[in-house]
Amino acid sequence: MKTIGTVTRGIKAPMIRTGDDLTEIVVDSILTASKEEGFGFNDRDVVGITEAIVARAQGNYADLDQISADVRNKFGGQEMAIVFPILSRNRFANLLRGIAGGCSKLYIMLSYPADEVGNELLDWDMIDKAGVNPYSDVLDEKRYRELFGYDVKHPFTGMDYAEFYKGLSDNIELIFANDPRAIIKYTKNVLACDIHTRHRTKRLLKEAGAEIVYGLDDILAKSVNGSGYNEKFGLLGSNKATEDRVKLFPRDCQPLVDSIQKQLIEKTGKKIEVMVYGDGAFKDPVGKIWELADPVVSPAFTKGLEGTPNELKLKFLLDNDLAGKSETEARQAMTAAIKSKDEQLGDKALGTTPRRFTDLLGSLCDLTSGSGDKGTPIILISGYFDNFATE
């Protein structure tokens, strides 16, 4: 029996710039690390590449005036609203400046007490003390400040995001509500800025009588004045690049992962799977923030990463089927059960997380690479598909 299971390695790479051959860089970086550190490769190893270097190599950027131009094209430069933006200087502040530059007046509807990914405007104790019902009450900025004052800071950043967003342009008015249809009272031109609930939000707005409805996924879905773009996700998944520029979520990633896999097979003789990953979809238990601001965890992956785990719950077996057996008998029975398992595990799979391989692996990659100065945008995972019976 193997004594080591999953091993995750962060692989350092050169500085990636627009136009670089990412296939060559990823493959060379992995092979160089293998020689220097003395590790080998196995079938079903997994290589993850962070979406940031893919977008950078593609040159998938847009200036704020290009965002403004697309907003102006779609909404005619008149007054409009955005509903449910996330609270993030990195993810949304530049987008807000670009959107505000494309209209005469901008209403911003913020969800409360928190945004879609858990960033808090307020905490629930403040809501309860004020006697506010967040499921039905619509607050203008005056009422919001009367109830909660100005001492409402994000627990990690120390930011008052209502004040911060209001200060990014002189044509902004704030509203606080959790039903997108409440915005119709102010304007019928609406840009839905939520990520994972955007389709429902757009549907509700249209059914309520909104006249012009788009989502962030519709802005820069094609190139505007030479900008980068993403035909599927638009501005979703974008990040601040400079004060006047954003990096978009990468596009056309499937040829990249297929190319990297092909070269790794040729150079290692092993069937290595490859994926591009973004946010890992895990939650901070203290800050309550979901790492889920990208539209998907993985925009592209090789075929071997399709599906979900089919795993026995070892603890369940030990407490039930194997109770009372000796160590040797239990080990032999456990190994036999794993080797003979089928798709219908029933209670024997109870408690195993029902998530896709790419979402689970994306979390592992994201936690390994981080988002700061580790300098490891490539992740190599070995043994992920091994189990107790693997020899």
Side-chain angles (χ1 to χ4, degrees), residues 97-299:
R97 291 170 57 212
I99 293 165
C103 62
S104 59
K105 180 172 183 177
L106 182 63
Y107 297 95
I108 302 178
M109 178 181 284
L110 298 176
S111 57
Y112 71 96
D115 70 7
E116 178 184 3
V117 296
N119 291 297
E120 288 190 338
L121 273 176
L122 311 162
D123 63 41
W124 276 102
D125 289 337
M126 297 175 73
I127 296 287
D128 294 339
K129 184 178 180 180
V132 171
N133 183 348
Y135 303 104
S136 60
D137 291 350
V138 178
L139 310 175
D140 59 19
E141 187 176 4
K142 181 172 183 266
R143 183 57 177 158
Y144 175 83
R145 294 303 183 187
E146 287 174 351
L147 289 169
F148 306 113
Y150 284 85
D151 191 25
V152 281
K153 311 291 185 183
H154 188 279
F156 283 173
T157 67
M159 295 290 297
D160 179 336
Y161 278 98
E163 183 177 34
F164 175 60
Y165 278 6
K166 178 75 178 285
L168 290 177
S169 181
D170 58 8
N171 64 340
I172 288 174
E173 182 175 334
L174 297 178
I175 301 146
F176 303 84
N178 290 306
D179 185 338
R181 293 168 291 192
I183 200 64
I184 302 297
K185 173 183 174 182
Y186 299 86
T187 179
K188 294 185 177 182
N189 306 320
V190 190
L191 178 67
C193 294
D194 44 344
I195 305 162
H196 305 285
T197 54
R198 64 189 183 274
H199 298 299
R200 177 176 183 266
T201 297
K202 286 191 273 189
R203 173 178 60 79
L204 290 174
L205 287 166
K206 291 175 183 177
E207 291 173 352
E211 295 174 355
I212 302 177
V213 177
Y214 289 101
L216 277 183
D217 52 335
D218 300 307
I219 307 299
L220 294 191
K222 61 181 181 180
S223 181
V224 174
N225 301 332
S227 73
Y229 65 96
N230 189 303
E231 64 282 339
K232 187 174 183 180
F233 299 121
L235 287 176
L236 293 176
S238 60
N239 287 272
K240 178 179 179 179
T242 69
E243 290 301 320
D244 299 301
R245 200 180 192 209
V246 298
K247 176 187 63 61
L248 305 184
F249 206 56
R251 62 180 190 269
D252 302 326
C253 298
Q254 194 61 46
L256 173 68
V257 297
D258 290 340
S259 172
I260 292 172
Q261 182 183 57
K262 180 180 179 182
Q263 286 207 20
L264 286 173
I265 291 173
E266 292 173 355
K267 293 180 182 294
T268 68
K270 302 297 182 181
K271 182 71 176 293
I272 297 174
E273 305 297 340
V274 184
M275 64 183 288
V276 175
Y277 68 91
D279 278 351
F282 47 85
K283 185 176 182 178
D284 184 295
V286 176
K288 306 179 184 67
I289 301 168
W290 283 97
E291 190 70 12
L292 198 56
D294 285 328
V296 291
V297 172
S298 178

Side-chain angles (χ1 to χ4, degrees), residues 57-71:
Q58 292 175 342
N60 205 19
Y61 292 86
D63 297 332
L64 301 195
D65 59 353
Q66 293 167 327
I67 295 174
S68 298
D70 201 16
V71 170

